[in-house]
Amino acid sequence: MKAILLQENREFQLETVETPEPKSHEIQVKIIAAGFNPIDYQMTENGSERKLLHSPILGREFSGIVTKTGTNVSEFKIGDAVFCGSGSMGSNGTYAEYICVPEGIAVKKPENISFEEAAAIPSAGLTALQSFKRMKASLTDSILITGGAGGVGNVFVKILLAKGFTNFVVTAGSEESITSLLDLGVKAQQIINYKKEEIYDSALSLNGSKKFDIAVDLVGNNIAEVAAKLLKINGTYIDVTNFSTPESRSILFSRGATIHNISNYAYGLEKQYDYYKNGLNELAQLLKNKSITPPNISITGELSTATVVRALRLLRENKTYGRKLIMQINKQ
């Protein structure tokens, strides 16, 4: 099969490699579409995410068609359309024509969404769903969301709205991102353009001069410090990025905050496959019922080094404008 491999010099190259064969509990999937995530480019840098690199073929989510099944597979058959977040549990990453994954982490694709839309869901969707569940918010809680128009933010806001939450404020940094939030049903008075407004004062004003019950940080770094300052004493802080700073950690400690570190990868390390399957099934049901809609997507190209380089550059420069970047790999 063809695949994009990360080289020792941290550049990408299209190569022909051996097609993986499914083990007894695995399915082999012909990948139709794969999603790009910030962790993909972070794995090429000298950060903590590089420790998560398990294959020179990157990519952590996909959709496709089952082409082979292991001897102990009972839930899937050849020809089934599936989507999945592979993490470190696949035979390789998703910048490839084929992948083998345990049947325990895969879910059948809802018929009312495309393969490209399905490939945009697993990573951001599971992260958003975990964030929502772990913050244990009530409808009266005030919620600050930084970076609400990104991949995770998009799904998170959709879940909030589907569950009847209205008492939240989001930040965005471009007119395109703001438009995407408005299209979701977020009101203009709930959105802070951090390029034009000072987040702290604006957020405080929008929340009736009160600190927030919950802060969901999808940006990190200096924004994490602002979010920490806006949290009430003993508030709940959802850290999705792992980009906190010494200052933000000091502020959160001094405020007695409850901090939830969000990681899909943790469940993969412990082989807790039910987390992936149950979460994706819940998201699939919301999509089938049209309680939420798929992420807005942008097709960056077919399987090529140019596609990968361009997509990771857009992610690094934060120029996705509320759209999930997708690579089309095999024709349906």
Side-chain angles (χ1 to χ4, degrees):
M1 70 175 182
K2 292 181 180 179
I4 306 291
L5 275 69
L6 180 66
Q7 308 297 308
E8 288 295 327
N9 62 3
R10 303 188 186 181
E11 294 184 356
F12 291 95
Q13 185 171 317
L14 179 65
E15 299 183 15
T16 299
V17 299
E18 187 175 350
T19 302
E21 292 293 322
K23 298 175 184 176
S24 62
H25 64 292
E26 292 181 336
I27 56 175
Q28 181 196 74
V29 181
K30 179 181 180 181
I31 300 175
I32 303 299
F36 291 102
N37 293 282
I39 196 171
D40 296 352
Y41 77 77
Q42 291 161 6
M43 281 181 170
T44 70
E45 300 173 348
N46 286 319
S48 60
E49 285 78 8
R50 191 163 176 80
K51 299 175 185 176
L52 308 182
L53 188 66
H54 76 281
S55 167
I57 304 172
L58 303 189
R60 302 170 71 83
E61 60 186 343
F62 67 93
S63 64
I65 297 172
V66 176
T67 44
K68 289 184 181 180
T69 60
T71 54
N72 293 335
V73 170
S74 60
E75 187 176 344
F76 299 100
K77 64 182 185 301
I78 293 173
D80 282 344
V82 298
F83 71 119
C84 181
S86 61
S88 62
M89 296 167 288
S91 54
N92 46 259
T94 62
Y95 300 176
E97 292 181 312
Y98 291 87
I99 192 171
C100 290
V101 295
E103 74 164 336
I105 66 171
V107 168
K108 291 181 181 178
K109 181 184 76 67
E111 294 182 358
N112 61 330
I113 65 173
S114 69
F115 280 96
E116 289 77 12
E117 289 170 332
I121 293 164
S123 183
L126 287 170
T127 301
L129 189 62
Q130 183 187 158
S131 299
F132 175 78
K133 289 185 173 182
R134 291 180 67 189
M135 73 180 184
K136 296 181 179 178
S138 66
L139 291 175
T140 56
D141 284 335
S142 56
I143 306 170
L144 172 70
I145 308 162
T146 65
V152 175
N154 178 283
V155 183
F156 184 78
V157 169
K158 286 177 178 177
I159 293 173
L160 283 181
L161 293 171
K163 302 291 185 180
F165 286 81
T166 58
N167 191 19
F168 61 88
V169 172
V170 300
T171 71
S174 69
E175 292 303 322
E176 293 90 341
S177 295
I178 291 170
T179 298
S180 72
L181 288 167
L182 292 172
D183 289 343
L184 295 183
V186 180
K187 294 180 171 56
Q189 59 267 32
Q190 292 176 274
I191 304 172
I192 298 171
N193 185 339
Y194 67 82
K195 293 286 182 65
K196 297 180 179 180
E197 305 172 69
E198 204 281 324
I199 294 175
Y200 183 88
D201 291 335
S202 297
L204 209 57
S205 175
L206 290 173
N207 197 41
S209 299
K210 296 179 180 179
K211 299 290 181 69
F212 288 81
D213 297 298
I214 300 168
V216 182
D217 182 27
L218 304 171
V219 179
N221 297 315
N222 66 310
I223 299 297
E225 298 170 7
V226 178
K229 291 175 183 176
L230 283 163
L231 191 66
K232 74 174 188 180
I233 293 174
N234 297 153
T236 299
Y237 188 87
I238 306 296
D239 185 1
V240 180
T241 69
N242 194 28
F243 291 153
S244 60
T245 68
E247 176 66 13
S248 69
R249 291 191 292 272
S250 175
I251 296 168
L252 291 170
F253 181 84
S254 69
R255 304 200 70 75
T258 297
I259 303 172
H260 292 288
N261 297 301
I262 305 301
S263 172
N264 295 322
Y265 184 76
Y267 296 91
L269 284 176
E270 300 291 332
K271 298 295 187 287
Q272 294 184 24
Y273 295 162
D274 58 332
Y275 164 77
Y276 295 90
K277 186 174 287 289
N278 292 342
L280 289 179
N281 272 325
E282 187 170 344
L283 291 165
Q285 195 59 48
L286 289 170
L287 289 160
K288 288 177 185 176
N289 296 341
K290 298 183 179 179
S291 298
I292 65 172
T293 55
N296 293 324
I297 62 173
S298 177
I299 307 299
T300 56
E302 298 181 348
L303 184 67
S304 70
T305 55
T307 297
V308 171
V309 169
R310 177 173 177 267
L312 298 191
R313 175 178 56 79
L314 291 172
L315 284 169
R316 188 181 286 108
E317 295 175 358
N318 193 27
K319 292 183 178 179
T320 60
Y321 304 122
R323 293 184 175 272
K324 183 78 179 200
L325 304 182
I326 298 295
M327 177 163 57
Q328 293 176 318
I329 297 180
N330 284 297
K331 300 294 184 182
Q332 300 178 35

